[in-house]
Amino acid sequence: GSGSDDILDVIMRLSVADSCIVCPPTFGMYKFLGALTKIKIIEVARKPNFEVDIPAVVKAVRDNKCKLVMLPSPNNPTGTLLPNDDIRTLCAEDALVVIDEAYADFAGVSADAL
């Protein structure tokens, strides 16, 4: 793609997912692309400190048989990072987990090691 939005679009179009989990507040393009590709967006609330509620995301994946999870790290707009241990936990589920690191250069950390 010519930018991260295009890459996210391609992922959603090529996935076999009927639904996608996102954790608001988050990058608005996920919801827009879900509507564009007719993928149901399932919103899982973040914790009060804006961290991803990993047990709630895992529960939503299982309860909805969701095959796609899209999470930015750092999150846009909060800047919250997603720890690699949390990413490992999510990757153990039967879903494609997309970690959008469009702003990782500004955070100084990355999930690249995984």
Side-chain angles (χ1 to χ4, degrees):
S2 60
S4 63
D5 292 353
D6 288 342
I7 294 167
L8 298 172
D9 182 38
V10 168
I11 290 168
M12 286 189 125
R13 288 176 190 274
L14 294 178
S15 76
V16 294
D18 294 326
S19 60
C20 175
I21 292 174
V22 300
C23 297
T26 196
F27 186 42
M29 188 57 75
Y30 305 140
K31 197 169 189 176
F32 173 78
L33 291 172
L36 190 68
T37 58
K38 299 186 180 6
I39 293 176
K40 176 184 174 186
I41 298 296
I42 299 168
E43 295 184 345
V44 176
R46 288 175 178 263
K47 296 177 183 178
N49 64 358
F50 296 114
E51 290 179 355
V52 174
D53 186 341
I54 297 300
V57 172
V58 168
K59 182 177 184 334
V61 167
R62 293 175 182 175
D63 289 354
N64 295 285
K65 296 181 175 51
C66 187
K67 298 296 183 190
L68 181 60
V69 178
M70 297 189 96
L71 298 169
S73 184
N75 185 43
N76 173 1
T78 65
T80 312
L81 296 171
L82 191 60
N84 283 353
D85 286 343
D86 289 350
I87 296 169
R88 280 187 197 92
T89 298
L90 294 173
C91 287
E93 297 302 311
D94 185 24
L96 173 63
V97 178
V98 177
I99 306 302
D100 178 355
E101 292 193 316
Y103 296 103
D105 289 345
F106 301 104
V109 297
S110 175
D112 284 351
L114 298 176

